Amino acid sequence: MRDDHSLRLLEYIYNSTSILNFGALYSDGTENFCSPSEPAVGDDIVLKFRTASDNVDGVYVVVNDTRYEMHVVETTALFDYYQVVLPHVTERIRYYYEIHAGRVVVYYNRVSKHKDLNRTYDFEICPGFHTPDWAKGAIFYQIYVDRFCNGDPSNDVLTNEYSYIGQPVKHVRDWNRYPENMDVGNFYGGDLQGVINKLDYLKNLGVDAIYLNPIFVSPSNHKYDIQDYDYVDPHFGKIVKDTGDLLPADSLDNTKATRYITRVTDKENLEASNQVFITLVEEAHKRGMKVILDGVFNHCGSFNKWMDKEKIYDKNPDYPKGAYLTGDSPYRKYFRFQDENAWPDNGSYNGWWGHDTLPKLNYEESKELYDYILEIGRKWVSPPFNADGWRLDVAADLGYSEEFNHRFWRDFRKAVKQANPEAIILAEHYGDPKAWLLGDQWDTVMNYSAFMEPITWFLTGVEKHSDEFRGDFLGNPDMFIGSMRHYMSTFMAGSLQVAMNELSNHDHSRFLTRTNRRVGRIHTLGPEAANEDVNKGIFRQAVVFQMTWPGAPTIYYGDEAGVAGWTDPDSRRTYPWGHEDHDLINFHREMIRIHKQYDALMKGSLVQIHSEFKCIAYGRFTRKQAVAVVINSDYNDKKLHLHIRHMGVPNNRTMRRIMLTTEEGYSIDSQTVITQNNQMSVVVPKMSAVVYVCNMD
């Protein structure tokens, strides 16, 4: 018999955490471990949890406040898979796992596996919440229409056609000219016909969905100050009636801009322009691509027919009087005025962030406005327009209270999804979006906090506007991984799979410019400086990350062709037709192909497999496939031993390299590595990104 000392020693060894294989512990919200991952109300839900084979005493799942024992349903050479069935789930649930090994209890949630429990990071499921299947892992392509392609010069904004923010507008004749610092009234001529003309290019690139910045009637090139929600701007669409005069010399009075008034108020032009959009959607759908519209519903523009500060609609009997002109306007309650005795020409309305060109819409006091915008949401995703969803501008700002904001978006979701159940609703949002992603409001967000910002800091050390450099963030794996884990935990699985993962967009500097690690803007350093000392090797690393990370990779037009630029307005340069960087375009095409070719990248689980200063590695995996990605942003080669066992890859399997990027270029030449000792040992070149794949069936 063993003596008491030996028994105590054996008990200590058994109860030590060293016997528990922490790396094998795994579950997430994907179909690999939660089925269905987006259940209907009343569905049974199957939850699974993975441990190393014969390594633990028991696994439990705590759902809300009820604890369920899980049972082993499958054993492989590497893992035990525990399972439980939750019957007929009708309400939102939160859950975490308990793993028991001897006297050790480990709590497992979306962020950690630890002996302490933090309920903040519980898994969550909302029965009835479904995000569009077509958007899961889809390749989005964002187009700032005025700067993409001029397909119809006859609809171009003319110099002196009207005035905007105290200046006559200008037609820019040199397509390749850099934007000016004050650029909102400069027009290059891009339009929807230009998008139609380039659909085959986008299809060949691998694009699944086009996201258009606003296209509705508006006096600016950005069109976030909408003038008429019912119609596409004829400068983007079609002008069939083109009478009237330009603005007289030395005049800023838009009542005299009669040619502009005809162009944007005549119903023939408006209906013809809507028809161009219908054609665009039809042509995109023929090619298997979706079209997403930009919904600017927090505010409109001072030119809007409801406000009519410029008196563009004042003399037209087809349009009621605007609220700026008279307190008797039917649109009076669409806005909140501070001075009730200032009519006519009442300029005391609330503007978003104080901008008088952006009157804030007053939903709380106008049911007519509320219902009208809900109808707009329905209209454009319904026949004959058939758009495939909405991107919502400054969505968290809508309304004058958070409670009202949530109420509106709940109603907006019902309206849009009733009209088109597969339409996507994605919002512009900074910070934690969780309150809007509980199944009853948005599908997802433009993914700043859990994508653009962490990878930008890690690879460039530059803030997304190029306004700040942080050397302590550059190559910092703890900051990167911590940010990603925290903010990704605010998404349910479906929302994460359709999250818009951008490197650049119209509001921030181009990622390629951030690779020069300089702080600047167009008015401080000039536009040429945005092109200087850029590092395409770093940019390629970012693209590899974008195409292998969970979510919907979103390319900002021209990024793939090598366009640089400081933050707005310089990030709104024209697409360089005839001057493209074809090597970068081909690289994007190859990475998009890889993204779509491998199930592990489209719908696989995610696991960290290595991290050190300026080097991160992660895996995407299903039961049949594993993809390992290494990003080495150091100027030294790295000899790494990657824990690919955590992805389910056994020993003596071949990991095949399918992409290598360097500062000089990229290679898709195949090389192989054999897994041994539960690892994949590789030498990763300096300033590189490498992708390996293993098929395990």
Side-chain angles (χ1 to χ4, degrees), residues 279-547:
T279 300
L280 167 60
V281 174
E282 289 174 348
E283 291 298 319
H285 286 177
K286 286 178 185 177
R287 293 164 173 80
M289 292 187 286
K290 308 292 187 180
V291 179
I292 311 302
L293 289 171
D294 207 323
V296 189
F297 303 132
N298 167 69
H299 54 270
C300 63
S302 57
F303 278 59
N304 191 286
K305 61 186 179 183
W306 301 332
M307 177 65 75
D308 200 18
K309 185 176 181 180
E310 300 294 318
K311 304 179 182 177
I312 288 168
Y313 301 90
D314 185 29
K315 304 300 183 184
N316 192 327
D318 294 333
Y319 294 89
K321 295 288 186 181
Y324 177 81
L325 304 178
T326 173
D328 296 327
S329 169
Y331 310 123
R332 158 70 187 84
K333 292 296 184 180
Y334 284 27
F335 309 96
R336 185 170 289 183
F337 290 86
Q338 302 304 314
D339 187 344
E340 295 290 341
N341 300 302
W343 281 285
D345 298 353
N346 190 340
S348 69
Y349 55 87
N350 285 2
W352 182 62
W353 281 37
H355 297 292
D356 66 354
T357 57
L358 304 175
K360 184 168 174 60
L361 293 170
N362 184 27
Y363 294 91
E364 284 89 337
E365 297 177 51
S366 177
K367 186 177 185 301
E368 292 79 7
L369 172 64
Y370 195 103
D371 292 343
Y372 188 92
I373 294 298
L374 294 185
E375 180 55 33
I376 289 296
R378 282 188 289 264
K379 170 182 175 176
W380 289 96
V381 300
S382 302
F385 304 107
N386 295 318
D388 299 288
W390 290 99
R391 177 267 189 190
L392 305 174
D393 185 59
V394 293
D397 287 6
L398 184 140
Y400 284 96
S401 70
E402 186 169 331
E403 179 183 1
F404 186 89
N405 180 281
H406 290 300
R407 172 189 156 190
F408 179 85
W409 292 126
R410 289 186 186 101
D411 288 342
F412 185 85
R413 181 180 185 84
K414 291 175 185 175
V416 170
K417 295 292 185 175
Q418 285 172 359
N420 184 346
E422 284 299 293
I424 193 169
I425 300 173
L426 60 91
E428 176 191 27
H429 187 71
Y430 297 84
D432 187 344
K434 188 172 184 178
W436 291 270
L437 297 180
L438 297 177
D440 58 349
Q441 296 171 71
W442 310 335
D443 285 321
T444 193
V445 295
M446 301 178 76
N447 199 2
Y448 292 116
S449 298
F451 186 81
M452 182 191 282
E453 290 175 341
I455 195 62
T456 290
W457 286 120
F458 182 81
L459 288 179
T460 74
V462 176
E463 182 266 344
K464 61 185 178 294
H465 288 283
S466 292
D467 281 344
E468 181 183 12
F469 176 79
R470 291 287 302 267
D472 55 331
F473 286 177
L474 177 62
N476 185 329
D478 295 333
M479 181 271 183
F480 171 81
I481 294 167
S483 294
M484 282 296 196
R485 282 179 173 170
H486 172 74
Y487 285 108
M488 287 175 71
S489 75
T490 64
F491 296 78
M492 284 182 282
S495 293
L496 188 63
Q497 288 174 316
V498 299
M500 185 179 274
N501 288 350
E502 291 188 292
L503 297 172
S504 316
N505 64 28
H506 62 291
D507 284 329
H508 305 96
S509 60
R510 296 270 183 171
F511 191 93
L512 185 58
T513 286
R514 280 175 241 153
T515 66
N516 67 15
R517 297 175 180 169
R518 295 181 68 181
V519 171
R521 292 200 175 205
I522 190 172
H523 67 279
T524 60
L525 298 182
E528 287 289 355
N531 308 328
E532 296 170 355
D533 302 319
V534 297
N535 189 315
K536 293 179 185 177
I538 296 175
F539 181 44
R540 280 186 283 267
Q541 290 177 326
V543 174
V544 168
F545 178 78
Q546 181 183 42
M547 297 297 168

Side-chain angles (χ1 to χ4, degrees), residues 600-618:
L601 296 179
M602 291 291 288
K603 57 188 178 183
S605 299
L606 172 72
V607 64
Q608 176 190 343
I609 56 177
H610 184 82
S611 70
E612 61 180 87
F613 181 60
K614 291 192 173 183
C615 184
I616 54 173
Y618 53 91

